[in-house]
Amino acid sequence: MLYPLKFKPIFKEKIWGGDVLKRRYNMKLPSSKIGESWNIASHKNGMSVVSNGPLKGESLEDIIKKYGRKLLGKTDDGKTIDEFPLLIKLLDARDVLSVQVHPDDVYAKEYESGELGKTEMWYIIDADPGSFIVYGVEPNITRDGFRKAIEAGDVESCLRRLDIEPGDVIYMPAGMVHAIGAGILLCEIQQNSDTTYRVYDWDRIGDDGMPRELHIDKALDVIDFEGLYTRDKLNGLTIYEGDSSKTYYIATNHFAVEKLRIQGTLADSTDCHNFHALTAIEGSGCIVYEKGHVEFSGGDSILIPAVLGNYKIEGNTTLIKAYMPNINEDIISPLLKKGFCRHELLKITGIKEETLENIN
Ligand code: ZN
């Protein structure tokens, strides 16, 4: 029988990492240079293992094989989702990360032996005053100009910086060159991929005394210089249910993301179509479902199986919820029924005029 699953975090030591995950969430870190906690992952570079209930000790991969669509649900065209499509991380940047870019699905399939591309989304949990991220290139920077700047050692002048505060939400589609600045703790929702092209590493030396490898040619292939993605921080669309609220930020074919702020209780449901991946970024609480309950605290991620059905989240807590949406059934129709008008739905990244035109 499936139930809300919790997992042992997979820690990744990084030259830019720290110990904030221990200080903030009391996670048991194996070193003081932990950059990433992979909270839910089914990838060759990291495989989650269940930490609660009867399935404790089993890998996510094995549970997916055993339970199939009962766990992950199905795509819009009815196919069982047979691989966990996301990678859910907490990331502690005490030093700036390399400037990097990820390929899209088409490029990754061709050049990275069938890997997925990587579109990602960041929820900024905490940020020191004055923190920034790199978010795309400055306007008017061309591919050729960028290559010349790399050769001249002048990449920094091409990069667009964005000041960051706690609570900010950033969408990072494949092709957007980016870097996380120092002093930032964030929750990352991304496609299940680990393909990164490093463009520039701030002239930093790695642990072995050598600069880390760069991937300039592939990066130049995939960076969007057309300015297709000039989006800013996302505000999303918030609905209130009693003292709790739900903010819809992203609804794309890669994933949907909501922030749940719970004071008391919030009801939700998986309908066999969908799993929910919840990550507690503040407070603590309890998932209550028909056959039992699972407690959680800040830093935990919980995978709600598609088959679970109705459940409630109780507590005083903020969670980031990620899932593979049927955009019409899960997002557009319910919000229209609640009385939102069409142009308000455009505040959700991924919903476009064309999407709404086809809806009655
Ligand atoms: Zn990235």
Side-chain angles (χ1 to χ4, degrees):
M1 183 57 208
L2 281 167
Y3 53 94
L5 299 169
K6 298 207 304 188
F7 301 94
K8 270 168 63 172
I10 301 160
F11 295 115
K12 303 280 182 182
E13 194 163 60
K14 301 281 179 180
I15 54 171
W16 43 262
D19 66 351
V20 170
L21 294 173
K22 176 178 169 214
R23 288 190 273 135
R24 187 177 179 109
Y25 294 134
N26 210 14
M27 292 172 124
K28 292 189 179 61
L29 304 186
S31 96
S32 58
K33 280 267 184 199
I34 297 301
E36 297 181 1
S37 168
W38 289 21
N39 275 18
I40 310 183
S42 178
H43 191 275
K44 63 179 191 301
N45 300 340
M47 179 56 63
S48 289
V49 171
V50 176
S51 67
N52 69 322
L55 295 169
K56 187 172 173 174
E58 295 201 35
S59 74
L60 179 53
E61 192 177 33
D62 287 344
I63 296 172
I64 292 169
K65 278 193 201 126
K66 210 185 273 180
Y67 291 98
R69 76 162 61 188
K70 284 185 179 153
L71 182 61
L72 297 184
K74 57 183 194 287
T75 59
D76 286 353
D77 46 12
K79 288 198 195 87
T80 298
I81 301 177
D82 53 9
E83 274 181 70
F84 189 63
L86 304 177
L87 185 47
I88 313 276
K89 294 180 185 174
L90 297 172
L91 206 141
D92 171 24
R94 290 307 97 197
D95 194 3
V96 65
L97 273 72
S98 63
V99 178
Q100 54 182 252
V101 65
H102 309 296
D104 64 13
D105 293 338
V106 175
Y107 190 92
K109 193 171 182 191
E110 181 157 357
Y111 295 98
E112 303 294 342
S113 43
E115 267 266 302
L116 284 175
K118 183 163 151 183
T119 281
E120 54 193 48
M121 175 269 185
W122 305 341
Y123 182 87
I124 309 293
I125 301 170
D126 205 358
D128 293 347
S131 307
F132 71 92
I133 60 166
V134 169
Y135 195 39
V137 291
E138 290 283 5
N140 308 322
I141 300 289
T142 60
R143 180 166 277 110
D144 200 41
F146 197 65
R147 183 187 288 279
K148 288 196 177 117
I150 292 171
E151 286 160 5
D154 188 27
V155 180
E156 288 184 47
S157 68
C158 301
L159 303 172
R160 184 171 161 246
R161 290 187 180 211
L162 190 65
D163 292 332
I164 284 296
E165 300 174 5
D168 284 344
V169 178
I170 311 289
Y171 183 52
M172 205 58 81
M176 176 82 92
V177 65
H178 60 273
I180 300 171
I184 294 175
L185 175 72
L186 60 82
C187 173
E188 183 175 70
I189 309 295
Q190 53 158 96
Q191 286 180 273
N192 184 12
S193 163
D194 204 18
T195 308
T196 293
Y197 303 145
R198 213 177 273 142
V199 182
Y200 175 61
D201 204 19
W202 313 93
D203 301 323
R204 180 164 47 188
I205 301 298
D207 285 337
D208 57 358
M210 300 288 285
R212 294 193 294 173
E213 190 190 351
L214 301 178
H215 320 88
I216 305 291
D217 289 327
K218 283 182 170 174
L220 285 167
D221 273 353
V222 304
I223 292 174
D224 161 45
F225 289 98
E226 314 295 313
L228 292 177
Y229 314 121
T230 47
R231 281 184 174 281
D232 237 314
K233 299 170 184 179
L234 309 187
N235 295 316
L237 181 64
T238 301
I239 63 169
Y240 295 89
E241 289 178 23
D243 291 330
S244 301
S245 68
K246 208 185 241 202
T247 304
Y248 294 80
Y249 290 108
I250 296 177
T252 69
N253 295 329
H254 292 126
F255 47 74
V257 176
E258 299 166 14
K259 176 173 72 183
L260 313 178
R261 255 191 215 282
I262 294 151
Q263 277 194 305
T265 179
L266 184 74
D268 210 332
S269 174
T270 53
D271 55 1
C272 291
H273 163 84
N274 238 316
F275 66 86
H276 294 168
L278 304 172
T279 301
I281 54 170
E282 260 169 58
S284 60
C286 189
I287 310 284
V288 181
Y289 61 108
E290 200 193 338
K291 299 219 164 63
H293 70 275
V294 172
E295 286 175 10
F296 64 84
S297 56
D300 287 343
S301 290
I302 310 113
L303 181 61
I304 309 287
V307 77
L308 194 81
N310 293 332
Y311 68 94
K312 278 190 300 192
I313 310 170
E314 295 179 352
N316 194 342
T317 179
T318 303
L319 300 131
I320 301 299
K321 170 182 161 189
Y323 57 104
M324 304 300 287
N326 177 316
I327 295 175
N328 185 16
E329 279 176 29
D330 298 326
I331 297 163
I332 295 176
S333 297
L335 287 174
L336 289 177
K337 270 191 202 127
K338 273 192 179 284
F340 285 96
C341 56
R342 282 159 195 249
H343 76 264
E344 290 176 292
L345 267 52
L346 300 176
K347 292 180 188 161
I348 304 170
T349 296
I351 296 187
K352 303 190 187 76
E353 304 266 10
E354 307 90 84
T355 331
L356 295 170
E357 271 163 22
N358 302 324
I359 312 270
N360 299 312

